[in-house]
Amino acid sequence: KYMSSNYSPEIPCLYLKDWHFTRDFPDRNVYRVPHIFASDWLNEYFTSREDVQDDYRFIYMGPKGSWTPFHADVFSSFSWSVNLCGKKRWLLFPPGEEKHLTDIHGNLAYDVEDPTLKNRDRFESYQKLKTQLEIIQNPGEAIFVPSGWHHQVWNLDDTISINHNWVNGCNIGKMWNSLRGNLAAVKAEISDCQDMEEWEEHCQIMLNASFGLDYKQFCSFLLYIIHTRLIHLSENTDLKVYGNWFMGVNHLKFDIMQAKLTLEKLASDSDFNKLNYFCKAESDIRVIMEEIDTALDRK
């Protein structure tokens, strides 16, 4: 109706976002993930789980004039987006620039082109904003968004796009830092409740609700990535990803070492050590560290 009315501003402009098409229609192989985006721990892990029906692979469908507000991607992940049809306009901001687009109350701007951003009483450092990249993405083109880059996106035409959030050995450290930072924010927010029973556990519940992941799940995520690669390393077989691409020995080793480094940081984290789950996790971590040393010594 919006499109047939010549995009009348009097009719709501609806935008279909975050449609889990691949999850909902697993037998419809309608696209092939580009090989440069195939090393994707996040979706590998979530699609392997039987206890949840979730992933970070989406279809977006929006008419001309629909848009996505200013934000950074979940978990400080990478993201990639391919236009099947239509054009998008992107504004991207390197890490650190977003602080100049934050108001005096700590709220991120909703629209980076809102004239109220020039109000110095509300956005004190907007005038210090230095760097933004503007990109026009045409049909058939892919765009890669690095971890921590805030962005805002407009559909210049009626547009359909494929979008994935992804994490791998190159940005797992950023995901860990983001998880820790969000826990710190949760603890600061409810610091007046520190005397309550199981306060640390309640902080994890709130972390999961706000961030989408807690320390226990993050530990499980790392253990899964390491374990899967150790199996293929021991069997001297390549790891098949997305049904099309294969990881060889060097890639498997790289993933194991990057996940191991992050797991070591998690295991030594004081907040993790306080959790009821830590006793079991400590044993699992010790075992897999020994398996890593044995596997890499053989190779």
Side-chain angles (χ1 to χ4, degrees):
K1 185 176 180 181
Y2 174 74
M3 294 164 63
S4 62
S5 67
N6 198 29
Y7 309 98
S8 169
E10 297 179 0
I11 298 176
C13 175
L14 303 181
Y15 193 0
L16 174 63
K17 298 181 180 181
D18 297 342
W19 178 19
H20 296 261
F21 178 88
T22 304
R23 181 198 67 188
D24 296 341
F25 300 95
D27 297 328
R28 302 282 186 90
N29 297 315
V30 297
Y31 66 90
R32 186 183 191 191
V33 174
H35 74 279
I36 56 174
F37 304 139
S39 178
D40 178 354
W41 297 4
L42 195 61
N43 288 298
E44 178 189 342
Y45 170 67
F46 275 97
T47 56
S48 74
R49 293 177 58 177
E50 297 181 354
D51 58 322
V52 295
Q53 293 293 317
D54 203 4
D55 67 357
Y56 292 88
R57 302 169 296 175
F58 309 111
I59 298 290
Y60 280 38
M61 300 175 65
K64 180 175 68 174
S66 53
W67 59 293
T68 301
F70 187 55
H71 70 287
D73 287 319
V74 61
F75 304 146
S76 288
S77 62
F78 296 142
S79 68
W80 63 265
S81 176
V82 172
N83 283 354
L84 301 183
C85 63
K87 288 184 179 181
K88 291 180 184 284
R89 173 181 174 238
W90 294 72
L91 284 182
L92 300 105
F93 300 81
E97 291 295 273
E98 73 280 357
K99 66 184 179 183
H100 304 307
L101 294 161
T102 303
D103 68 17
I104 58 174
H105 303 294
N107 299 312
L108 204 62
Y110 185 74
D111 178 1
V112 296
E113 296 191 334
D114 188 333
T116 61
L117 287 168
K118 297 179 181 179
N119 182 345
R120 293 192 178 186
D121 292 332
R122 184 177 173 190
F123 292 90
E124 294 179 324
S125 66
Y126 175 72
Q127 302 300 325
K128 297 179 181 179
L129 184 68
K130 293 181 179 179
T131 306
Q132 67 178 38
L133 303 180
E134 181 173 5
I135 297 172
I136 302 299
Q137 181 188 14
N138 293 303
E141 292 183 342
I143 187 168
F144 165 70
V145 181
S147 293
W149 281 58
H150 284 68
H151 49 283
Q152 186 166 321
V153 190
W154 294 261
N155 289 324
L156 302 180
D157 300 324
D158 303 333
T159 305
I160 301 175
S161 64
I162 300 168
N163 306 270
H164 283 210
N165 294 108
W166 51 304
V167 172
N168 60 28
C170 296
N171 67 337
I172 186 62
K174 293 185 182 297
M175 183 180 181
W176 164 237
N177 290 336
S178 185
L179 180 65
R180 290 180 64 223
N182 275 266
L183 177 60
V186 166
K187 298 180 83 168
E189 186 69 23
I190 60 170
S191 59
D192 57 328
C193 302
Q194 289 187 49
D195 294 335
M196 71 182 293
E197 187 176 350
E198 301 284 333
W199 184 69
E200 297 286 347
E201 306 296 330
H202 281 287
C203 287
Q204 291 293 315
I205 292 172
M206 293 184 65
L207 175 65
N208 188 29
S210 61
F211 186 70
L213 206 67
D214 58 24
Y215 274 32
K216 179 180 179 180
Q217 291 172 316
F218 187 64
C219 183
S220 173
F221 170 54
L222 293 173
L223 290 172
Y224 170 84
I225 293 300
I226 294 171
H227 180 68
T228 302
R229 282 143 182 78
L230 284 175
I231 290 174
H232 286 274
L233 202 59
S234 66
E235 296 175 350
N236 200 29
T237 57
D238 293 342
L239 172 62
K240 191 175 184 180
V241 290
Y242 280 118
N244 303 114
W245 310 111
F246 294 87
M247 293 183 185
V249 171
N250 289 335
H251 201 149
L252 295 173
K253 287 182 177 180
F254 173 77
D255 280 3
I256 290 169
M257 292 308 301
Q258 294 302 106
K260 177 188 176 186
L261 288 172
T262 307
L263 188 60
E264 288 172 339
K265 293 176 182 178
L266 174 65
S268 63
D269 185 83
S270 59
D271 289 313
F272 188 53
N273 296 168
K274 296 172 185 175
L275 300 179
N276 297 334
Y277 169 72
F278 177 70
C279 291
K280 179 183 184 305
E282 187 178 30
S283 174
D284 292 341
I285 292 170
R286 186 184 307 112
V287 169
I288 207 159
M289 290 298 184
E290 293 173 357
E291 292 177 356
I292 291 171
D293 291 340
T294 301
L296 295 182
D297 284 345
R298 285 201 302 263
K299 295 294 179 178

